[in-house]
């Protein structure tokens, strides 16, 4: 039986957003210090025992989050037709990070987004 390694990196970004059509305070522009946890799945280790170098993961996460940090998420191209909710942010990050980090051996397995401590969303696919 073979196992799977789950490699994860946590990072943060700050951004504003509003939820169009929301019946309450969140319809107004407000900000969060978002916490993001990226999880990657790996079955094979390289010759020195790594699935993927944490440095490579952190560089990819930094590059993707830089596009969102200190912005109004509603103005970002990815959120023109959908609300920049935690759910949609997690899905966007999953896709963007997959484009940067996926390989034959390593795949983005999930992205967790928390808009405040103790609450958030974990997005995975299939």
């Amino acid at each position: 039986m073979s196992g799977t390694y789950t490699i994860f990196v946590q990072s943060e970004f700050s951004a504003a957003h509003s939820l169009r059509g929301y019946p309450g305070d969140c319809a107004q522009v407000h900000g969060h210090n978002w916490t993001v946890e990226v999880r990657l799945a790996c079955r094979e280790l390289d010759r020195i025992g790594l699935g993927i170098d944490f440095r490579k993961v952190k560089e990819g996460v930094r590059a993707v989050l830089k596009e969102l940090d200190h912005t109004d998420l509603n103005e970002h191209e990815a959120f023109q037709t959908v609300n920049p909710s935690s759910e949609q942010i997690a899905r966007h990050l999953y896709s963007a990070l997959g484009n940067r980090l996926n390989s034959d051996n390593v795949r983005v397995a999930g992205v967790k987004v928390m808009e405040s401590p103790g609450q958030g969303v974990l997005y995975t696919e299939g």
Side-chain angles (χ1 to χ4, degrees), residues 10-70:
Q10 196 171 72
S11 191
E12 297 176 347
F13 73 99
S14 298
H17 73 151
S18 61
L19 300 178
R20 296 175 289 268
Y22 184 82
D25 292 347
C26 293
Q28 302 300 316
V29 176
H30 62 284
H32 296 284
N33 293 318
W34 307 83
T35 301
V36 175
E37 182 179 288
V38 178
R39 299 176 185 184
L40 299 111
C42 170
R43 290 195 179 268
E44 305 276 331
L45 302 181
D46 67 14
R47 64 179 180 74
I48 64 169
L50 302 177
I52 185 172
D53 191 332
F54 284 123
R55 187 177 317 177
K56 181 177 181 179
V57 178
K58 289 190 275 187
E59 286 171 1
V61 171
R62 240 187 324 270
V64 170
L65 293 184
K66 183 178 180 181
E67 297 176 12
L68 305 179
D69 192 38
H70 286 82

Side-chain angles (χ1 to χ4, degrees), residues 68-97:
L68 305 179
D69 192 38
H70 286 82
T71 67
D72 180 342
L73 297 175
N74 293 74
E75 295 176 3
H76 190 279
E77 178 183 337
F79 306 112
Q80 293 302 298
T81 60
V82 298
N83 268 323
S85 62
S86 294
E87 292 86 347
Q88 295 290 355
I89 294 166
R91 186 175 61 90
H92 168 72
L93 293 174
Y94 183 98
S95 175
L97 289 164

